Amino acid sequence: MTPLVVIGKSGQLAWEIARLIPDAVCLGRDDIDITSDSSICDTLAPLAPRAIINASAYTAVDNAEIDEANAYLLNQTAVAKLAQYCKEQQVFLVHVSTDYVFNGEKGVPYTVDDIIEPQGMYGKTKAAGEAEVIGILPEQSAIIRTSWVYSSHGNNFVKTMLRLMADKPQLGVIDDQIGSPTWAKGLAEACIEAATGPLAGVFHWSDEGVCSWYDFALAIQKSGIDKGLLDSRIPITPIPSSAYPTPAKRPHYSVLDKTLSRSNYKTPLIHWREQLCAMMDELQ
């Protein structure tokens, strides 16, 4: 019996889980088609997993606005099929979701019970996936909502900022979107704990503390210089979201209330500045 199967091999989260649990089986789109019942059954049955972490999703936020069918296929239909398999085989499912299921206007941290009111297609499809999990196996699953995820692996805001800071004479970064950065390693630890506990329910997981993208960029630059990843400081200017229009509306406020996670998880919640520093050490 395989202790843990992770769906979404190419992503930041699966990469971190694989580092923490080397005997976990990570499956990518070449290994399993989660939109197909037969592929799910044929691939997972020989592995007989005790738990599955679904770290796969359609995450192209702007593209989802014009590619609704594929966004729903991966974020709702495939999730329902995985949940149904887990129900039939008595497998615990950890499903990773997002701050985008909320409307982004609350102004104080969102609790797990707050009204689901996504503003864009990505959020709507992720909310639909959550509803499938809750409807199909409520006692046998954990939904973990997170935000602003980054890692030393893959493409993300931190690595993009470091590249731009090395190449550009100056930068403008949005300062009216507020949230909490999340190092994928800490999120991976929380997902593993939920899977092996198991811990059922809906939880919020991000690093502690709150910032704007502008604040985050300033911290990235300071850490990059301190650790020798950047040669020199460039001017970084705060700009409003209106100066950088995108097809999908971004939440202005997406801080998640982590009260339930603090009381249920042994994995510690750590401030985002400390986590950023630890991740930057990996890039050195």
Side-chain angles (χ1 to χ4, degrees), residues 164-237:
L164 293 175
M165 288 166 186
D167 293 345
K168 303 281 187 184
Q170 60 186 40
L171 274 183
V173 181
I174 289 166
D175 73 338
D176 60 358
Q177 293 174 20
I178 308 297
S180 300
T182 307
W183 186 19
K185 183 184 178 187
L187 177 62
E189 290 168 344
C191 289
I192 291 164
E193 185 176 346
T196 56
L199 288 170
V202 179
F203 300 97
H204 288 168
W205 192 277
S206 62
D207 292 336
E208 296 282 34
V210 175
C211 65
S212 68
W213 289 112
Y214 169 72
D215 299 323
F216 195 23
L218 290 181
I220 292 163
Q221 177 169 249
K222 182 180 186 307
S223 185
I225 288 170
D226 289 348
K227 295 179 186 299
L229 296 167
L230 293 170
D231 293 331
S232 59
R233 191 179 303 275
I234 62 167
I236 302 174
T237 307

Side-chain angles (χ1 to χ4, degrees), residues 12-230:
Q12 303 177 99
L13 179 56
W15 186 78
E16 296 286 2
I17 293 169
R19 289 207 296 171
L20 292 164
I21 303 192
D23 64 348
V25 176
C26 293
L27 302 173
R29 66 192 76 176
D30 294 336
D31 309 305
I32 186 172
D33 176 5
I34 55 172
T35 68
S36 159
D37 291 314
S38 60
S39 179
I40 289 171
C41 188
D42 292 348
T43 307
L44 296 179
L47 296 172
R50 290 193 188 128
I52 294 171
I53 297 174
N54 181 31
S56 71
Y58 188 109
T59 57
V61 174
D62 289 324
N63 216 48
E65 296 298 311
I66 55 170
D67 192 19
E68 291 180 33
N70 281 316
Y72 271 109
L73 184 64
L74 279 172
N75 291 348
Q76 180 185 18
T77 306
V79 173
K81 290 179 182 296
L82 277 174
Q84 190 61 43
Y85 175 86
C86 288
K87 180 181 181 180
E88 291 166 3
Q89 301 299 322
Q90 294 295 296
V91 177
F92 192 84
L93 176 65
V94 178
H95 177 65
V96 181
S97 194
T98 173
D99 56 303
Y100 276 72
V101 300
F102 300 116
N103 67 13
E105 304 295 337
K106 189 180 177 189
V108 294
Y110 284 95
T111 70
V112 296
D113 299 319
D114 273 329
I115 294 169
I116 301 296
E117 194 182 2
Q119 298 299 291
M121 197 51 60
Y122 168 66
K124 288 174 183 175
T125 60
K126 289 295 289 183
E130 286 190 10
E132 297 286 2
V133 173
I134 291 166
I136 293 168
L137 71 167
E139 309 297 323
Q140 209 178 300
S141 63
I143 292 170
I144 301 180
R145 297 185 187 125
T146 190
S147 63
W148 296 23
V149 179
Y150 67 91
S151 164
S152 58
H153 172 77
N155 299 315
N156 53 68
F157 183 80
V158 177
K159 291 170 76 176
T160 298
M161 285 294 107
L162 287 171
R163 188 184 75 249
L164 293 175
M165 288 166 186
D167 293 345
K168 303 281 187 184
Q170 60 186 40
L171 274 183
V173 181
I174 289 166
D175 73 338
D176 60 358
Q177 293 174 20
I178 308 297
S180 300
T182 307
W183 186 19
K185 183 184 178 187
L187 177 62
E189 290 168 344
C191 289
I192 291 164
E193 185 176 346
T196 56
L199 288 170
V202 179
F203 300 97
H204 288 168
W205 192 277
S206 62
D207 292 336
E208 296 282 34
V210 175
C211 65
S212 68
W213 289 112
Y214 169 72
D215 299 323
F216 195 23
L218 290 181
I220 292 163
Q221 177 169 249
K222 182 180 186 307
S223 185
I225 288 170
D226 289 348
K227 295 179 186 299
L229 296 167
L230 293 170

